[in-house]
Amino acid sequence: MVPPSGGSPASTPDTAAGSGVNSPVLHADVAVIGGGVIGHCIAWEARLSGRSVVVIDDEPGSGASWAAAGMLAPVSELHYQEEDLLELMLESSHLWPAFAASLARAGAPDFGYLTTPTLAVGADAADRRALMDLRAVQQANGLLVETLTVREARAKEPLLSPAISCALDIPADHQVDPRRLIASLRQVLAGHDQGSGTAVAGAREGFAVHHRATALLWEDGRVSGVKLASGGTVRAGETIVANGLQAADLGGLPDWIQLPLRPVYGDILRLGVPLHLRPLVTSTVRGLVHGVPVYIVPRQDGTVVIGATQREDALPAAGDTVAAGRAVSAGGVYQLLRDAQVLLPAVAELELLECTTRARPATPDNAPLLGRVPAPGPGHIPGLIIATGFYRHGVLLSPAAALICRGLLDGKEDPRWQALNPDRFSSQPQAAFQFTKETA
Amino acid sequence: MVPPSGGSPASTPDTAAGSGVNSPVLHADVAVIGGGVIGHCIAWEARLSGRSVVVIDDEPGSGASWAAAGMLAPVSELHYQEEDLLELMLESSHLWPAFAASLARAGAPDFGYLTTPTLAVGADAADRRALMDLRAVQQANGLLVETLTVREARAKEPLLSPAISCALDIPADHQVDPRRLIASLRQVLAGHDQGSGTAVAGAREGFAVHHRATALLWEDGRVSGVKLASGGTVRAGETIVANGLQAADLGGLPDWIQLPLRPVYGDILRLGVPLHLRPLVTSTVRGLVHGVPVYIVPRQDGTVVIGATQREDALPAAGDTVAAGRAVSAGGVYQLLRDAQVLLPAVAELELLECTTRARPATPDNAPLLGRVPAPGPGHIPGLIIATGFYRHGVLLSPAAALICRGLLDGKEDPRWQALNPDRFSSQPQAAFQFTKETA
């Protein structure tokens, strides 16, 4: 498989190798494009396998991860998503304790991993019926969901409204703090840094490359690294595309590969709990309020996160189209405060610290695009792995994504996850495909 | 009237004059403590009278002025306040056009002064009755308030909800942008700077002293200036105390003077209007929604300001008592978004840009503390003017406050405003009063 000469990807290594100033080159075993939770977990697992790693992101942790509540909730997330995903979600949920422990053993600062349970509550009779229907599905899948009386629920969480219609205890749904998780992963990655090669001037801090990736580099029919917006390059034996929604805009992907990622916008709030109201809740509270989901996630620092709206259309931010995807919806904030107060009236007494909006990378079937890309001939495109489209589940699925990627790096493909292949929405590869995007 | 020797205020000028490094001294005809709208308007009027002026504030414009909507609304504000204030409010309202024009003539950048009308609207039948009762009072006071049908109101403002219960057109209630007004005043003050004396090292930019005022200086029985937190001093023939709530904490005030200022907290929102919804409204909309007031003020830049809640208790911000007065109330934000949507459903479509909370300086009778302070003997304490306690009306009242202060500087007291005397909540001055606070 040789890219067309017009794209001249083969010239890039020469150019790059020939100049340390105009086209600085960095070498690593693995280049991870995208510095969210997924990218950093993949990088960490690759690092544990003995490989040198770089993470390429001009604004690490600022995308969907920045707005993630960090619920590790395979059971209650079943409500909103396909059962097809359940196996992957349960797998990753089972991986979380060992993943968290290995990170802690490596000296990672606390990242807010809590095994406190989740309480699912409904506001009205219809919400109760919906949650009880869900419970039947959950139990049919072997998941532990215990019905509580309102009195029992309020014994656990005294600030719950007495007017709720039902409550379910879900002991297996836990949480982590995604912002602290990324900071923690970056710290252990920096400590383990053994990257080789010449530094990208002014850009490299250990494992981290603070530039935007613009395109894949190709050489001799394989992906050989990443071109940066700065003009530099990262040469790598394996390149993992984990930059969420931006994956579809990456240059150098074969034009027959469709990455049908769509943004699903969500508003979340962060609030401070006054001392006399602490703890507001000890469990994560997932509510259904007149059919609309809302969750309230308590953090260890006395704040709570309230989320999350879902909008397929970006708010048309006036005069600043670049930031349109991050414009906070007044209606979304209103809805979250309204519904959270139905379940926990004391929310009105909290301090509003932050309103944040980000887009989640969703796919047509809401499952991630995760795996190698078939080549036009037999086998796969060497040097390329796709890991994007994690939608609402990125934080939960990150240990599984990291282990699946490690398996691919080691040449082992787990047949359980073949359905996640990233070309499942693409037309068949052509014998001689064309590049429509910049390749070098 | 000589302060007790224990306070040793007379020693300060000596010390200050003797050292340009440890106790730098700045001289001006007038020292204004407090850099909000009131302080800057007073400074500007004093400057127009030919006096040199300094404005002392470590964070100018960051207090109540930062959260002010800038409604110039003597008519509709009558609703919420005593009729006693009405004469002052109307006087200042009549002063606004000339004040704005003089500022513009002086080369002030645009400060968002708009003579668009105010529309008062009610949500339900009780709100309609309340607004109609108010209209009777307003008309009895000679104010122009025109009843509109809902159809007429929606012809003026098509995005008004068809479900409103009533609408009143109030052509005399206008608006200004307080943040731009302060920026504008600072620019013209800087342009007119003729301050004398040695510079306060690193602190003086023309008229502005970026330090906190800690106490009044006294000399020979008169107030002779201001002591700064930096250790420096401002020597001035007249000192005007215009620092809002902080006035009560100023050292060097005679202990028999009570400045009973209480904070009334308010949350306001700033939102961006998407291009397809512009203009959201052209009038300022003041609503009464199930008895709760809410206003929506359109700005020229395509944003709207929605306010304002009123809370007498600060939100107990957890772990950060300093910022407690500025903690945004989740319940307050919810209430504003809820009530604004009742009147203008399209508010849900806006971008939430900012939530801000500040405390307004209120007095027991809700009228300002404005004037000179009687001395224990005949006459007043020389060199001292108080101008604080403007509560919800600071922006409206600033031209009147500035002219009243100018009159006092010129030795002319207008008998109409004697009722505002700042010692009206104080016990009688004693022949030999004691200082309880630091005086130098």
Side-chain angles (χ1 to χ4, degrees):
Chain A
M1 185 185 64
V2 179
S5 58
S8 68
S11 68
T12 302
D14 295 342
T15 308
S19 163
V21 174
N22 292 323
S23 304
V25 181
L26 181 69
H27 295 269
D29 295 329
V30 178
V32 179
I33 303 174
V37 168
I38 291 286
H40 280 102
C41 284
I42 290 171
W44 173 239
E45 193 64 40
R47 191 65 211 84
L48 287 181
S49 75
R51 293 170 170 90
S52 63
V53 181
V54 294
V55 175
I56 302 166
D57 199 315
D58 58 339
E59 220 185 343
S62 68
S65 299
W66 189 247
M71 289 178 294
L72 308 175
V75 181
S76 32
E77 274 292 332
L78 180 57
H79 191 193
Y80 309 111
Q81 296 303 331
E82 291 72 5
E83 284 180 61
D84 294 351
L85 258 180
L86 186 62
E87 186 179 2
L88 182 64
M89 291 164 69
L90 288 174
E91 168 82 3
S92 205
S93 175
H94 294 144
L95 290 172
W96 253 103
F99 176 77
S102 79
L103 209 46
R105 272 197 310 276
D110 182 26
F111 42 93
Y113 175 65
L114 296 176
T115 57
T116 46
T118 290
L119 214 57
V121 298
D124 63 22
D127 298 330
R128 181 164 49 78
R129 282 191 297 275
L131 289 174
M132 290 304 165
D133 289 349
L134 171 64
R135 175 170 170 263
V137 179
Q138 289 162 335
Q139 290 184 320
N141 282 283
L143 303 174
L144 185 62
V145 182
E146 186 190 353
T147 308
L148 303 179
T149 65
V150 172
R151 182 185 296 267
E152 287 166 341
R154 296 189 72 223
K156 284 175 182 278
E157 301 294 353
L159 296 182
L160 272 178
S161 166
I164 59 172
S165 63
C166 68
L168 301 170
D169 188 33
I170 306 174
D173 283 357
H174 305 148
Q175 68 142 302
V176 70
D177 184 334
R179 295 180 184 180
R180 294 174 70 184
L181 176 61
I182 288 179
S184 200
L185 281 161
R186 290 178 75 78
Q187 188 161 327
V188 291
L189 278 164
H192 279 68
D193 177 53
Q194 298 175 3
S196 61
T198 60
V200 175
R204 190 168 188 234
E205 299 173 13
F207 71 97
V209 175
H210 288 284
H211 283 299
R212 190 168 52 82
T214 56
L216 299 174
L217 290 173
W218 289 78
E219 191 175 3
D220 299 334
R222 60 174 297 133
V223 172
S224 58
V226 184
K227 184 183 174 186
L228 306 177
S230 62
T233 56
V234 174
R235 308 296 310 272
E238 297 276 4
T239 297
I240 302 178
V241 177
N243 53 344
L245 284 166
Q246 295 172 40
D249 298 326
L250 190 68
L253 287 167
D255 68 353
W256 57 267
I257 282 285
Q258 302 293 322
L259 298 178
L261 297 162
R262 74 181 195 284
V264 178
Y265 301 91
D267 311 299
I268 69 149
L269 313 177
R270 199 165 61 86
L271 302 101
V273 182
L275 292 173
H276 71 282
L277 288 175
R278 293 190 189 185
L280 185 77
V281 283
T282 54
S283 317
T284 293
V285 173
R286 292 184 69 110
L288 201 56
V289 179
H290 314 313
V292 179
V294 64
Y295 50 71
I296 300 148
V297 184
R299 296 270 193 251
Q300 287 165 307
D301 64 358
T303 63
V304 295
V305 172
I306 297 182
T309 56
Q310 295 209 65
R311 292 178 277 117
E312 301 263 333
D313 294 318
L315 207 66
D320 189 355
T321 50
V322 174
R326 297 184 175 183
V328 175
S329 159
V333 171
Y334 167 72
Q335 173 192 315
L336 291 174
L337 290 172
R338 178 193 64 195
D339 294 346
Q341 286 179 84
V342 169
L343 307 178
L344 283 164
V347 163
E349 311 298 320
L350 307 191
E351 177 182 1
L352 183 58
L353 295 170
E354 179 188 326
C355 307
T356 298
T357 298
R358 289 293 185 275
R360 312 168 187 93
T363 63
D365 58 6
N366 292 335
L369 307 171
L370 180 57
R372 290 196 182 272
V373 178
H380 294 101
I381 296 175
L384 177 63
I385 294 171
I386 306 286
T388 183
F390 288 83
Y391 190 29
R392 295 168 56 96
H393 311 298
V395 180
L396 169 61
L397 295 180
S398 49
L403 275 184
I404 291 170
C405 284
R406 180 170 174 172
L408 295 172
L409 293 174
D410 291 344
K412 300 171 204 150
E413 193 169 359
D414 188 329
R416 288 184 297 168
W417 317 123
Q418 279 181 349
L420 304 176
N421 69 81
D423 68 325
R424 65 184 184 275
F425 301 106
S426 306
S427 53
Q428 289 305 303
Q430 295 150 19
F433 61 83
Q434 299 294 313
F435 287 88
T436 56
K437 292 170 184 165
E438 188 184 22
T439 58
Chain B
M1 184 184 66
V2 179
S5 58
S8 67
S11 66
T12 302
D14 295 341
T15 308
S19 162
V21 175
N22 293 323
S23 303
V25 181
L26 182 69
H27 294 269
D29 294 329
V30 178
V32 179
I33 303 175
V37 168
I38 291 285
H40 280 101
C41 284
I42 290 172
W44 173 239
E45 193 63 41
R47 192 65 210 82
L48 287 181
S49 75
R51 293 170 172 91
S52 64
V53 180
V54 293
V55 175
I56 302 166
D57 199 316
D58 58 339
E59 220 185 344
S62 68
S65 299
W66 188 247
M71 289 177 294
L72 308 175
V75 182
S76 31
E77 274 293 331
L78 180 57
H79 191 194
Y80 310 110
Q81 295 304 333
E82 290 74 3
E83 284 180 60
D84 293 350
L85 259 179
L86 186 62
E87 185 179 2
L88 182 64
M89 290 164 70
L90 288 174
E91 168 81 3
S92 206
S93 175
H94 294 145
L95 291 172
W96 253 102
F99 176 76
S102 79
L103 209 44
R105 271 197 309 276
D110 182 26
F111 42 92
Y113 176 64
L114 296 176
T115 57
T116 45
T118 291
L119 214 58
V121 298
D124 63 23
D127 298 329
R128 180 165 48 78
R129 281 192 297 275
L131 288 174
M132 290 304 166
D133 289 349
L134 171 64
R135 175 170 170 263
V137 179
Q138 289 162 334
Q139 290 183 322
N141 281 283
L143 304 173
L144 185 62
V145 182
E146 186 190 354
T147 308
L148 302 179
T149 66
V150 172
R151 180 184 298 267
E152 287 166 340
R154 297 188 72 223
K156 285 176 181 279
E157 301 293 352
L159 296 182
L160 272 178
S161 166
I164 59 171
S165 63
C166 68
L168 301 170
D169 189 31
I170 305 174
D173 283 0
H174 303 147
Q175 68 142 304
V176 70
D177 184 334
R179 294 180 185 180
R180 293 173 72 184
L181 176 61
I182 288 179
S184 199
L185 280 161
R186 290 177 74 78
Q187 189 160 327
V188 290
L189 279 164
H192 280 69
D193 178 52
Q194 299 175 2
S196 60
T198 59
V200 176
R204 189 166 190 235
E205 297 174 15
F207 71 96
V209 175
H210 289 284
H211 283 298
R212 190 169 52 82
T214 55
L216 299 175
L217 290 174
W218 288 77
E219 191 175 5
D220 298 334
R222 60 177 294 134
V223 172
S224 58
V226 183
K227 184 182 174 188
L228 306 177
S230 63
T233 56
V234 174
R235 306 298 309 273
E238 297 276 3
T239 298
I240 301 179
V241 177
N243 54 344
L245 284 166
Q246 295 172 41
D249 298 327
L250 190 69
L253 287 167
D255 68 355
W256 57 268
I257 282 285
Q258 302 294 321
L259 299 179
L261 298 162
R262 74 180 194 284
V264 178
Y265 301 92
D267 311 298
I268 69 148
L269 314 177
R270 200 166 59 86
L271 302 100
V273 182
L275 292 174
H276 72 282
L277 288 175
R278 292 189 189 184
L280 184 78
V281 283
T282 53
S283 317
T284 292
V285 174
R286 292 184 70 111
L288 200 57
V289 179
H290 314 313
V292 178
V294 64
Y295 50 72
I296 300 148
V297 184
R299 296 272 193 250
Q300 287 165 308
D301 64 358
T303 63
V304 295
V305 171
I306 297 182
T309 57
Q310 295 209 64
R311 292 178 277 117
E312 301 263 334
D313 293 319
L315 206 66
D320 189 356
T321 50
V322 175
R326 297 183 174 182
V328 176
S329 159
V333 171
Y334 167 73
Q335 173 192 313
L336 292 174
L337 290 172
R338 178 194 65 195
D339 294 345
Q341 286 178 84
V342 169
L343 306 179
L344 282 165
V347 164
E349 311 298 322
L350 306 191
E351 176 181 2
L352 183 58
L353 295 170
E354 179 188 327
C355 307
T356 297
T357 298
R358 290 294 185 274
R360 312 169 187 91
T363 63
D365 58 7
N366 292 336
L369 307 171
L370 179 58
R372 291 197 182 271
V373 179
H380 295 99
I381 296 174
L384 178 63
I385 294 171
I386 306 284
T388 182
F390 288 84
Y391 190 28
R392 296 169 54 97
H393 310 298
V395 180
L396 169 62
L397 295 181
S398 49
L403 274 185
I404 292 170
C405 284
R406 180 170 173 173
L408 296 172
L409 293 174
D410 291 344
K412 300 172 204 150
E413 192 167 0
D414 189 329
R416 288 183 297 168
W417 317 122
Q418 280 180 348
L420 304 175
N421 69 81
D423 68 326
R424 66 185 183 274
F425 301 105
S426 306
S427 55
Q428 289 304 305
Q430 295 150 19
F433 61 86
Q434 298 295 314
F435 287 87
T436 56
K437 292 169 185 165
E438 187 183 23
T439 57

